Amino acid sequence: MLIAADQETFPIKHLATCPRLVCLSTWDARGPGLIGNNAPAALEERLTLLFRDHTTIWHNGCSFDLAVAATNFPALVPHICQAIEEGRVHDTKVREKLLALATHGNIRFRTLPNGMNLPLRYRLEDLARGYLKKDRSHQKAGNNGPVDDDEDDDPRGDAWRYNYDSLDLIPADQYPDEARDYAIEDAKDTWDIYHAQEERLQRAHRIAGVPWSPAVESLHVGAAFYLYLMSSLGLDIDLSRVAKRKEQLDRDLSDDNLSLLIAAGVLRPTEPPRPSNQRNHHPTQCLRVTTGKKTAKCNCPHKLTAHKKSSVNTKNLHAHIEEICAAHNLPVKRTDPSDKFPEGQVSAAADVLEDIAGYSDVLTLYKFKVDLSKMRDVEIPRMSETPVHPNYDELKASGRTSCSASKLYPSGNVQNVDPRARECYIPT
């Protein structure tokens, strides 16, 4: 039997990227189903039957929902793996990405006849709007950010999608109408979107004269599940090594070590606070010396200017790149045209620096600064807590997966960690 399913959970946060499961909603040809976590044995049995005996449909569930089920009920893991292996797990998000690639070859945009690029969205509400002509924005509103237990004000808002933890251990038949309806509607929308996608797929393959095969979908469904499950375990960080690496980076990026860039005008030096022409507000006890009709200046301290970090002088950097390219008969690569720069700007991107840095001591040092600045300002802050959970995307336009940092919890792009920062990760 074909069954669409969805799960509601506690909020996602650090140390709970696969949070506690609150309820499971389903929709199939017989209608809706909803079961809460007040009876964990019955909930586990229902999930076991889904993966062992049926074909299931999820939206973004093959990463999140399946990993949540496996974490809450570890005995489900072999049943989930077998269902994926047999092609009995579908994901409407993965299918929509594959449809976009098969239709126009782009996951991020679809080019309209007038030349405009239409951004493509893959949230459940986006597909419901496109396929079912439903607007659920009022139900999906809220702050999908991390929940800080130390905060007095709850940042989640009052949308039910972020507040199912309030229904923990409550029987599903006792849920408020809005909470019950929201959970079931997610499952029903997933069911309806799947069938709309299926009709679109079959129509496209009839036109092409070849049968539709779900094998490619199963490959990415499996990737989504295994990568999220692996990420949920997290990677431990040695915080003492992080602190030492940060100290070393601060020394390497000091003005003294980058004096060549400052002398070349490519880097503006750090400006410490200094007295300005303005004074602080005079206190009531301030005594001013009056001479005749004039009031002499008092000795109240001057205001201090703000500390200014070192910054790149892009105009001088671009000029230096053009000079080096001209001296060595190299092409000057430029950025894409824009309204402000119709001809584009001189590019100082990483691949450009990789090609030309060896022709100039200034550019060699600048590339060194760029690499270390990224590690200090981007990678090191992502290691401020332990463990970190990498955020994976199961399908890019190339057909491969990718990794990035999530805003929901301490995270990082572990596929592209600077080798000098790898020592901060503790092998598990």
Side-chain angles (χ1 to χ4, degrees):
M1 180 182 291
L2 187 64
I3 301 175
D6 186 68
Q7 295 175 149
E8 305 298 342
T9 69
F10 274 55
I12 301 172
K13 60 180 180 179
H14 189 214
L15 303 180
T17 58
C18 284
R20 179 171 168 80
L21 176 59
V22 176
C23 66
L24 167 73
S25 59
T26 59
W27 189 280
D28 55 43
R30 301 166 299 180
L34 183 65
I35 181 171
N37 66 356
N38 62 297
L43 179 56
E44 182 176 9
E45 182 182 4
R46 176 62 172 150
L47 284 165
T48 301
L49 290 173
L50 281 181
F51 293 115
R52 190 186 65 195
D53 301 336
H54 301 290
T55 298
T56 56
I57 312 164
W58 308 79
H59 180 83
N60 198 31
C62 297
S63 56
F64 180 71
D65 291 78
L66 269 61
V68 165
T71 303
N72 280 261
F73 303 111
L76 290 174
V77 172
H79 299 299
I80 295 174
C81 294
Q82 183 176 356
I84 292 174
E85 182 70 20
E86 294 175 357
R88 292 188 290 106
V89 181
H90 297 288
D91 190 310
T92 51
K93 177 182 175 183
V94 171
R95 288 162 65 88
E96 190 65 18
K97 284 188 172 185
L98 290 172
L99 276 164
L101 284 176
T103 305
H104 47 78
N106 195 317
I107 284 181
R108 296 182 59 200
F109 299 99
R110 179 165 64 89
T111 303
L112 301 178
N114 62 3
M116 292 182 59
N117 286 329
L118 179 69
L120 297 177
R121 312 285 186 192
Y122 298 96
R123 298 172 303 179
L124 182 62
E125 57 264 40
D126 296 318
L127 299 192
R129 185 181 297 111
Y131 282 107
L132 313 178
K133 310 307 177 187
K134 290 178 63 174
D135 182 4
R136 297 186 63 192
S137 56
H138 62 290
Q139 295 176 310
K140 300 291 186 177
N143 176 18
N144 193 19
V147 177
D148 187 343
D149 291 334
D150 295 329
E151 297 226 2
D152 294 330
D153 297 327
D154 193 336
R156 293 175 283 171
D158 57 4
W160 266 114
R161 67 181 301 197
Y162 305 120
N163 292 280
Y164 276 89
D165 53 331
S166 65
L167 301 177
D168 188 32
L169 300 179
I170 296 177
D173 58 6
Q174 296 179 22
Y175 287 2
D177 290 344
E178 295 85 354
R180 183 176 59 254
D181 293 347
Y182 176 87
I184 291 175
E185 191 168 4
D186 271 0
K188 184 178 187 305
D189 282 353
T190 301
W191 171 271
D192 291 338
I193 290 167
Y194 171 85
H195 285 89
Q197 288 176 331
E198 190 70 12
E199 182 180 339
R200 180 181 167 194
L201 281 167
Q202 298 296 347
R203 182 171 62 250
H205 281 265
R206 282 197 302 271
I207 294 173
V210 293
W212 158 246
S213 171
V216 174
E217 180 191 355
S218 294
L219 174 68
H220 297 291
V221 161
F225 169 61
Y226 296 120
L227 287 173
Y228 196 94
L229 191 61
M230 178 178 68
S231 172
S232 70
L233 300 175
L235 295 169
D236 289 327
I237 300 295
D238 187 329
L239 298 179
S240 62
R241 289 186 177 182
V242 173
K244 290 179 181 178
R245 175 57 60 187
K246 173 67 165 55
E247 292 174 1
Q248 182 62 51
L249 288 168
D250 287 338
R251 288 193 293 269
D252 291 341
L253 292 168
S254 66
D255 285 0
D256 290 341
N257 286 333
L258 301 177
S259 57
L260 179 61
L261 296 182
I262 294 172
V266 170
L267 187 68
R268 302 183 186 93
T270 301
E271 293 186 18
R274 54 183 176 78
S276 69
N277 293 329
Q278 297 180 340
R279 294 180 183 272
N280 287 320
H281 294 295
H282 297 280
T284 55
Q285 68 272 23
C286 173
L287 299 177
R288 300 192 185 196
V289 180
T290 303
T291 305
K293 295 182 179 181
K294 295 183 179 181
T295 302
K297 292 182 178 179
C298 66
N299 292 324
C300 291
H302 288 265
K303 286 184 177 180
L304 293 178
T305 61
H307 170 82
K308 289 185 179 180
K309 296 181 180 180
S310 61
S311 60
V312 176
N313 186 323
T314 54
K315 181 178 179 181
N316 289 353
L317 172 63
H318 294 166
H320 187 75
I321 291 175
E322 288 184 302
E323 180 183 338
I324 293 301
C325 288
H328 297 277
N329 197 27
L330 300 171
V332 177
K333 295 185 179 180
R334 308 186 77 86
T335 61
D336 293 333
S338 64
D339 293 339
K340 188 174 181 180
F341 301 100
E343 297 180 358
Q345 290 182 285
V346 175
S347 175
D351 59 333
V352 174
L353 294 175
E354 189 72 35
D355 292 338
I356 66 174
Y359 293 99
S360 164
D361 291 341
V362 170
L363 293 181
T364 299
L365 183 59
Y366 179 75
K367 182 179 182 301
F368 172 81
K369 175 198 175 304
V370 169
D371 292 342
L372 293 193
S373 295
K374 179 183 177 183
M375 182 164 42
R376 182 189 65 181
D377 301 335
V378 178
E379 291 189 23
I380 292 298
R382 290 173 176 170
M383 301 178 182
S384 60
E385 295 185 70
T386 186
V388 298
H389 304 276
N391 180 53
Y392 292 99
D393 186 337
E394 74 283 339
L395 177 58
K396 306 302 288 185
S398 62
R400 300 188 298 177
T401 61
S402 70
C403 186
S404 62
S406 171
K407 296 180 180 179
L408 294 177
Y409 37 74
S411 183
N413 180 356
V414 298
Q415 287 183 338
N416 292 300
V417 175
D418 191 295
R420 289 161 290 197
R422 288 177 185 163
E423 65 176 9
C424 299
Y425 288 92
I426 301 174
T428 305

